[in-house]
Amino acid sequence: MASKTLAHGMGTYFKDCEHAQSRWPKCPHLYKIQYRNAAGKQAVESGFETDAAAITRLTSIYNAKKAAPSRTSRAVRVAKYGSMRFEEYAREWRESQRHLEESSRRHLDSLLEHHIFPALGSRRMDAFDHKVVDGFIRSMERNGAGLATQSNAFDKVKSILLDAHRLGLYDDSPLEGVKPPQYNPAKAVIPSVAQLAQIRMAGDDIFRLIADLMSGCGLRNAEATAVNLRGIVAPDVYRISEQVNQTSGQYARLKHRKPGEYRDVPLPTRTRQTIEWYAEKHGTVDGYLLRHPRDPGKPFPYYYLDNRWLRIKKAGVADIPEGMVVYGLRHFFASNCLTTANTMRWIAPGCRVRGGS
């Protein structure tokens, strides 16, 4: 019995008679087809008057088999991940981010633990839509999170939900139509000299110290909370060699730096005097000026600074520019360096002012 086999394993068609293949178009016998069904078993069908009809049927079966595994696998994925809680799914997704540097992983973990999981962690993955995502953004606004934090947290939620969308959990993307937080780092809000004078004195001694370190030396929040007398390597130079890690709460290497690396920054007279004043008034622990208020054996928690900033803003005792966040103190340092560049010997990040002012 002769037969004709189609490409890609689609099957064969033939006539079960004594006529040669060349006689099939004129032979009165009907065509038959043979193929493997979805279960992998051989199957035979008959009753096709032309070879075109037989080929059309084989093509239809082949296309159906190709589509079936896709539909089946999606159903399996939806069943597995749809009922999963967001926190569990996000932790699995986080493990796949092997390309991230250590500092980026720490930042991701901080956003997950402090901003994303508290709001979304217990929600089922199949319960997300654009209203849920928009509600998350509005909750960050109500809680007073800065625009940079809102933008970063939204980006992480977006990446996680897009990953779930690619798995087929959603017919329509839960991000469609959502307006992301409008954060533009180029439009940083910087206080004036007069406003800075009010802001640095509006809080307690801890806030005054941190405000002077950020605005006078350009330290990041986490670097300022790790201030140490040993960092004063010259009357007008402060060496930054560590920071308080937001995730672990312990001292760690600098952001974007290898262990043991440091950077030297200018130390204005006023900032050095603030460091010395604070050390004399409150003492130090192994040279560290700031420690955990409830446990001096631990580093100063970074979120205590945010709490102090919110209290100052609510008190209304200082003229704070609209939209300014704590990081605006560091922006003041950078702006000051740029606007007084013609009187400097060094330019940021080694911006050293002539005369130590």
Side-chain angles (χ1 to χ4, degrees), residues 44 46 69 100-101 113 124 128 220 226 231-232 255 284 291 315 317 349 353:
V44 176
S46 62
L100 295 179
E101 294 184 0
E113 297 296 336
R124 290 198 326 269
F128 278 85
R220 296 182 173 90
I232 304 177
K255 186 177 182 181
T284 64
R291 304 293 286 179
V317 296
V353 181

Side-chain angles (χ1 to χ4, degrees), residues 130-248:
H130 68 282
K131 290 185 177 180
V132 174
V133 180
D134 188 65
F136 168 65
I137 296 173
R138 286 186 280 107
S139 72
M140 288 193 291
E141 294 173 347
R142 290 194 300 270
N143 293 334
L147 280 175
T149 298
Q150 292 181 36
S151 181
N152 288 330
F154 171 76
D155 284 344
K156 300 303 179 289
V157 171
K158 177 181 177 180
S159 296
I160 294 168
L161 293 181
L162 285 177
D163 183 78
H165 186 39
R166 286 192 293 269
L167 279 176
L169 265 64
Y170 314 110
D171 292 328
D172 299 313
S173 171
L175 299 161
E176 188 173 351
V178 175
K179 184 178 180 181
Q182 299 301 301
Y183 172 63
N184 185 351
K187 296 183 178 180
V189 179
I190 304 171
S192 66
V193 174
Q195 290 171 327
L196 176 63
Q198 293 185 34
I199 292 170
R200 62 186 291 269
M201 299 301 293
D204 57 9
D205 292 352
I206 291 175
F207 184 83
R208 178 180 172 184
L209 173 64
I210 294 176
D212 279 8
L213 287 165
M214 294 182 67
S215 63
C217 299
L219 271 65
R220 296 182 173 90
N221 310 33
E223 295 168 346
T225 55
V227 58
N228 193 301
L229 286 178
R230 294 192 297 270
I232 304 177
V233 296
D236 57 353
V237 178
Y238 184 82
R239 175 164 294 179
I240 311 170
S241 58
E242 59 186 345
Q243 64 175 350
V244 177
N245 181 273
Q246 294 186 6
T247 303
S248 67

Side-chain angles (χ1 to χ4, degrees), residues 44-164:
V44 176
E45 292 183 19
S46 62
F48 302 98
E49 294 184 357
T50 64
D51 58 350
I55 293 173
T56 298
R57 173 57 178 159
L58 286 171
T59 302
S60 174
I61 294 171
Y62 175 74
N63 290 335
K65 284 196 299 181
K66 283 184 62 178
S70 176
R71 291 195 296 267
T72 302
S73 59
R74 181 186 177 188
V76 171
R77 293 195 298 270
V78 171
K80 177 179 179 181
Y81 295 108
S83 60
M84 184 179 286
R85 301 297 172 180
F86 179 86
E87 180 173 348
E88 183 182 359
Y89 187 95
R91 291 193 185 281
E92 283 194 12
W93 171 85
R94 191 268 188 213
E95 294 303 313
S96 70
Q97 305 304 294
R98 295 181 296 275
H99 60 286
L100 295 179
E101 294 184 0
E102 181 60 29
S103 59
S104 297
R105 285 197 294 270
R106 290 197 301 265
H107 184 234
L108 169 60
D109 290 340
S110 178
L111 288 171
L112 289 172
E113 297 296 336
H114 299 292
H115 297 282
I116 299 175
F117 288 163
L120 302 174
S122 61
R123 186 179 293 271
R124 290 198 326 269
M125 289 299 297
D126 59 7
F128 278 85
D129 57 23
H130 68 282
K131 290 185 177 180
V132 174
V133 180
D134 188 65
F136 168 65
I137 296 173
R138 286 186 280 107
S139 72
M140 288 193 291
E141 294 173 347
R142 290 194 300 270
N143 293 334
L147 280 175
T149 298
Q150 292 181 36
S151 181
N152 288 330
F154 171 76
D155 284 344
K156 300 303 179 289
V157 171
K158 177 181 177 180
S159 296
I160 294 168
L161 293 181
L162 285 177
D163 183 78

Side-chain angles (χ1 to χ4, degrees), residues 11 56 61 79 119 256 263 272 287 300 357:
T56 298
I61 294 171
H256 306 312
R263 74 177 192 275
R272 188 186 72 247
F300 184 83
S357 60

